[in-house]
Amino acid sequence: MFDFWSLILNPFITVLTLLYQLFNSSVLAIIMFTVLIRLLTYPLTAQQTRSSKAMSEMQPELKRLQEKHKNDREKLAQEQMALYRKYGVNPLGGCLPLLIQFPIWIGLYQAINHALASTPLQLIDLSGRFLVGGLDQLVPLNNVWLGIDLTQAPQANPAYALIFPVLVLITSYVQSKMITPATPATDADGRPNQAAAMTQSMTTIMPIMMGMFSLSFSVGLSVYFVVSNVMGIIQYSRNGTFKWSSLLPFSTRSSGNKPAPLPVGPSGKSTLKAKLEAERAAGVGSSTVTVDDEPSSETSTPEAKPKNQPPKAGKTKTKPAR
Amino acid sequence: MTLFLILRSNVLNIRVLSARRWLLSASAILVLLVVAACGPAPLGTGWPSVSLIKSVCGDTSSLNVMISYMDRIVQVNPADGKSSPLLNSDCEPRPPESDGKPRVWDFRPSGGKQFYTTPLLLQDNTLLVIANDQHIFRIDATTARAEDADGAAIDGRTGHAVTDLAVSDDLIYVGLSAKDVVALERDTLDVRWTFETEHGVWGKPLLQDGVLYFSSLDHYLYAVDAELGELKWKLDLEGAVTGMPLYANDRLYIGSFARKLFEISLDGEIVNQYSTVDWVWGTPTIQDDILYFADLGGYVYALDTAANLSEVWKQQVATRAIRPSPLVTGDTLIVVSRDHKIYWRNRADGSPILDAEGNPLVRELQGEILSDILLVQPEDGVNITKPYIIVSTTSPSQLLAAYTLDNGESKWSYSYQ
């Protein structure tokens, strides 16, 4: 069989089997293989992370522009493009690397599934996929590790195999907290931020779903999920902007990924704040900006705060038009 | 998971973009979804097991095609491809259901049990079948009623049953994916002995002269005393073995994933071997001392057993794997493949048999064909005028299809309703 997916699957299965030959362990082979693929795709992931981070940093300025040019879409688009150029950001720079990585990750997942070959159809499908001679004798891979059959779901294994769904859940949760962009709990106009609410709930629901799925997936795939998540955690923690305390359930942040400090101007104030003050002095119209990270002695103007709205995350400064 | 989160973070981040950017982003996501949708589909577990069963009711007997697949076992009339009617214990058709539909032979136990093995017909008109979760059912071949609706579990064993049962006068032999072969008392299903290998047993055991021969994925062929379960010998075949050995002329013939077919003496010595292009899964078949078999690369072989397995011919017939044994009858050899096709070949040299227009006689079905080929003759008591071949696919929308043996004329098709 030769198709598009064979181009990805066959080398992956071959490498995975070679690693099995090297370590004589399916688990070690899966771990090393996942690490290898994550390292190979690191440049793509890093680019995506940089792009995502820059987009987070730009959020306050973007919001200000939106507010400022809400009645002039063309002007808004021009200003946005200028801002992207200023930050050196391609708005789609975060998505394109994903498109490249996606087939690779599907291939990784499928390669593990194929190589473990828990069913007759999977074993038949393994034939002809090795690109290196001499691997036939290794088939089927020894899929028992510490008494756990890696091709079976945790329920079909000893009770201690249930640790894998738990690990999947925990690592998925940590990674999702790290990867989710900082979004204020309320919009600029004080209304609850639906995107933030969705982010918050998905950050909780997705790991639970993954944990549930892992109950029915083979343990070998859970190993892959755990290792992949741990690699993601390591990668994102290297940014140095993540607050581990935000993992705690009583954390007040809407998400754990803290944006980097805003660019600082020559006066020592953030460039954004400096711009705002300059605009205020110049009599530019209303500006509503959420600043997440900057201490300020100013407080919200009670008159401008909409009634019956929950307290805003971050400090909101509202400047009525003069 | 990671992908989803990253994608979501990007979507959230670009929510302030212009409509044009949104369009571009949406296009990118669409491409992503298309790529995902075109990804390799998850593979199923197995394929239908099909067999011809001659059940007896009163003074009459009838030949039916028995299919075990997914969560049910059904009977089909080989003459017209219609579901066999369900009879009562007096051998009369059961009255139709309240909505007027006729009652048909269809066994579906509760609990979503999966079936991938062929039922065995015992002398008392009872069908013996094992589900994938190794529960054994005894089903009346006429009334489709099971003695125990939930089946009987095998004591203390784990793993799945993916291969057919073998029986002796007093024992049932079960190969399990969790390394072992279990001998059960035929009447009580109590375990008499178990024999552990180093890996799963996916090939049907062969019982011959008091010796049970079976293969294992651990690369060995085992010969075990059928009554006592004691090892007589084991032989390394250099690769995983999934087939049942063929017994002929006091020799055993079996292929392995070492890309070889072996001729083995009954005391466990390799007499001859032949190298193939790809892994050999199915059991060979023999006719007039010529051994016919196929490999998973789509090649078909004819070897002369009287001349140290010398090659008579070798042909690449299909583009994908050929799992089951070729059907050899008269001057015709028929093979089926994962490429959804049935191929008619000349037995003498493997060349294609041509149809009336002078093209190779090939028929294409809707699903992969991995099950054994059945041959039905008019003299079997079936209301047909010419011999039929019946093949089974993995697609429930064309589970069975019948063609005339001589010219591949389509006769009927059966789907799961």
Side-chain angles (χ1 to χ4, degrees), chain B residues 77-93:
Chain B
N77 185 335
D80 56 15
K82 291 183 176 160
S83 297
S84 301
L86 187 63
L87 307 179
N88 61 22
S89 51
D90 296 327
C91 308
E92 293 166 347

Side-chain angles (χ1 to χ4, degrees), chain A residues 1 5 48 80-81 84 92 94 98-99 102 105 110 120 124-125 136-137 152 175-176 179 181 199 236, chain B residues 2-3 5-6 9-10 12-13 16-17 21 25 32 36 38-40 45 160 219 259 279 281 320 338 370:
Chain A
M1 186 181 72
W5 282 104
Q48 185 279 325
Q80 281 180 338
M81 288 313 295
Y84 292 141
L92 295 177
L98 271 180
L99 290 177
F102 202 63
W105 287 359
Q110 291 286 345
I124 279 191
D125 203 64
D136 294 338
Q137 290 89 335
Q152 300 298 319
Q175 186 183 230
S176 68
I179 215 168
T199 302
Y236 288 106
Chain B
T2 311
L3 273 171
L5 287 167
I6 293 174
S9 74
N10 274 283
L12 289 173
N13 275 330
V16 291
L17 298 182
R21 291 291 176 193
S25 305
L32 190 76
C38 296
T45 305
H160 298 281
H219 301 191
R259 300 169 195 251
W279 301 349
W281 186 293
R320 295 189 70 188
R338 279 192 84 189
L370 290 152

Side-chain angles (χ1 to χ4, degrees), chain B residues 120-123 128 138 165-174 182-187 192-193 204-212 225-228:
Chain B
L120 271 174
L121 182 64
L122 305 180
Q123 286 174 342
L128 197 66
R138 290 176 191 273
L165 302 169
V167 289
S168 68
D169 289 341
D170 55 348
L171 290 172
I172 301 166
Y173 303 98
V174 186
V182 184
L184 305 171
E185 300 289 350
R186 194 162 148 167
D187 296 330
R192 182 185 290 186
W193 56 257
K204 180 182 177 181
L206 169 71
L207 182 61
Q208 186 67 42
D209 300 328
V211 180
L212 195 71
D225 184 296
E227 286 293 310
L228 306 172

Side-chain angles (χ1 to χ4, degrees), chain A residues 83-235:
Chain A
L83 192 62
Y84 292 141
R85 275 196 295 276
K86 177 182 156 192
Y87 278 83
V89 169
N90 177 351
L92 295 177
C95 282
L96 292 177
L98 271 180
L99 290 177
I100 301 170
Q101 290 175 70
F102 202 63
I104 296 174
W105 287 359
I106 291 178
L108 176 66
Y109 176 92
Q110 291 286 345
I112 292 169
N113 238 347
H114 276 74
L116 290 177
S118 62
T119 68
L121 213 45
Q122 286 173 347
L123 190 56
I124 279 191
D125 203 64
L126 195 57
S127 73
R129 291 198 179 274
F130 294 131
L131 304 179
V132 176
L135 297 181
D136 294 338
Q137 290 89 335
L138 299 171
V139 175
L141 310 189
N142 182 7
N143 48 34
V144 178
W145 177 70
L146 297 178
I148 298 172
D149 185 342
L150 299 172
T151 66
Q152 300 298 319
Q155 293 101 318
N157 271 301
Y160 54 85
L162 289 169
I163 189 69
F164 283 97
V166 175
L167 286 174
V168 169
L169 191 151
I170 292 170
T171 55
S172 299
Y173 176 73
V174 173
Q175 186 183 230
S176 68
K177 289 289 276 188
M178 298 180 90
I179 215 168
T180 307
T183 45
T186 54
D187 280 334
D189 56 2
R191 287 175 303 188
N193 186 336
Q194 290 191 343
M198 190 186 83
T199 302
Q200 186 72 9
S201 59
M202 291 305 286
T203 306
T204 309
I205 291 169
M206 282 302 289
I208 293 173
M209 281 173 64
M210 289 303 293
M212 298 290 283
F213 288 155
S214 301
L215 284 171
S216 50
F217 286 164
S218 69
V219 174
L221 286 175
S222 293
V223 172
Y224 153 68
F225 284 130
V226 171
V227 176
S228 184
N229 288 345
V230 168
M231 289 290 289
I233 291 167
I234 292 170
Q235 187 180 328

Side-chain angles (χ1 to χ4, degrees), chain A residues 243-300:
Chain A
K243 276 188 176 177
W244 290 93
S245 60
S246 67
L247 291 174
L248 299 173
F250 47 80
S251 166
T252 54
R253 288 181 52 81
S254 60
S255 75
N257 196 6
K258 182 182 178 182
L262 292 170
V264 175
S267 65
K269 295 174 180 176
S270 82
T271 49
L272 178 59
K273 186 170 183 181
K275 279 182 184 176
L276 284 171
E277 287 183 352
E279 281 177 7
R280 193 182 306 161
V284 178
S286 172
S287 300
T288 304
V289 179
T290 301
V291 181
D292 231 14
D293 62 332
E294 189 185 11
S296 169
S297 59
E298 295 180 52
T299 55
S300 303

Side-chain angles (χ1 to χ4, degrees), chain B residues 49-370:
Chain B
S49 276
V50 290
S51 57
L52 287 167
I53 297 238
K54 193 168 231 173
S55 56
V56 179
C57 195
D59 297 332
T60 60
S61 66
S62 61
L63 190 73
N64 289 293
V65 181
M66 183 77 67
I67 315 153
S68 312
Y69 192 41
M70 298 181 181
D71 61 347
R72 56 203 284 206
I73 304 171
V74 296
Q75 279 190 10
V76 172
N77 185 335
D80 56 15
K82 291 183 176 160
S83 297
S84 301
L86 187 63
L87 307 179
N88 61 22
S89 51
D90 296 327
C91 308
E92 293 166 347
R94 296 273 302 275
E97 294 181 41
S98 54
D99 57 2
K101 286 183 181 172
R103 289 184 193 269
V104 297
W105 205 107
D106 188 347
F107 178 71
R108 266 189 265 200
S110 58
K113 293 187 188 308
Q114 300 285 306
F115 294 98
Y116 295 98
T117 65
T118 307
L120 271 174
L121 182 64
L122 305 180
Q123 286 174 342
D124 59 356
N125 203 41
T126 300
L127 292 167
L128 197 66
V129 64
I130 187 164
N132 189 239
D133 68 352
Q134 51 165 292
H135 278 66
I136 296 178
F137 292 85
R138 290 176 191 273
I139 309 164
D140 188 289
T142 303
T143 63
R145 287 196 185 121
E147 271 182 23
D148 181 347
D150 296 323
I154 301 175
D155 283 344
R157 308 318 300 172
T158 59
H160 298 281
V162 294
T163 188
D164 293 344
L165 302 169
V167 289
S168 68
D169 289 341
D170 55 348
L171 290 172
I172 301 166
Y173 303 98
V174 186
L176 296 173
S177 66
K179 299 182 180 180
D180 41 17
V181 170
V182 184
L184 305 171
E185 300 289 350
R186 194 162 148 167
D187 296 330
T188 61
L189 298 183
D190 291 336
V191 175
R192 182 185 290 186
W193 56 257
T194 62
F195 186 93
E196 282 211 2
T197 71
E198 297 296 317
H199 218 301
V201 176
W202 285 11
K204 180 182 177 181
L206 169 71
L207 182 61
Q208 186 67 42
D209 300 328
V211 180
L212 195 71
Y213 301 97
F214 56 89
S215 60
S216 168
L217 296 178
D218 69 3
H219 301 191
Y220 282 89
L221 176 69
Y222 292 85
V224 170
D225 184 296
E227 286 293 310
L228 306 172
E230 292 172 353
L231 179 69
K232 287 179 164 299
W233 51 261
K234 66 176 188 176
L235 182 63
D236 185 359
L237 298 183
E238 304 168 31
V241 200
T242 51
M244 180 180 77
L246 168 74
Y247 173 83
N249 305 327
D250 287 337
R251 291 279 192 267
L252 298 169
Y253 299 93
I254 192 165
S256 83
F257 286 13
R259 300 169 195 251
K260 286 179 182 173
L261 184 113
F262 299 91
E263 182 181 60
I264 300 161
S265 67
L266 294 183
D267 53 2
E269 298 289 333
I270 294 174
V271 180
N272 286 299
Q273 55 185 287
Y274 173 84
S275 292
T276 59
V277 175
D278 211 325
W279 301 349
V280 180
W281 186 293
T283 303
T285 185
I286 196 165
Q287 195 109 343
D288 301 330
D289 287 341
I290 305 293
L291 200 67
Y292 301 92
F293 66 99
D295 70 17
L296 298 188
Y299 282 81
V300 181
Y301 306 84
L303 308 180
D304 190 348
T305 59
N308 300 325
L309 294 187
S310 61
E311 185 179 295
V312 179
W313 57 261
K314 165 185 159 187
Q315 295 269 350
Q316 182 168 20
V317 173
T319 55
R320 295 189 70 188
I322 300 175
R323 189 211 68 86
S325 315
L327 175 71
V328 181
T329 173
D331 295 333
T332 305
L333 178 142
I334 297 172
V335 288
V336 291
S337 165
R338 279 192 84 189
D339 65 9
H340 301 200
K341 291 177 181 166
I342 313 170
Y343 298 87
W344 276 258
R345 294 277 162 156
N346 284 304
R347 184 184 147 200
D349 57 7
S351 62
I353 290 177
L354 305 179
D355 62 17
E357 284 80 40
N359 300 314
L361 186 51
V362 178
R363 293 290 178 264
E364 184 162 2
L365 282 79
Q366 290 177 18
E368 298 180 9
I369 314 172
L370 290 152

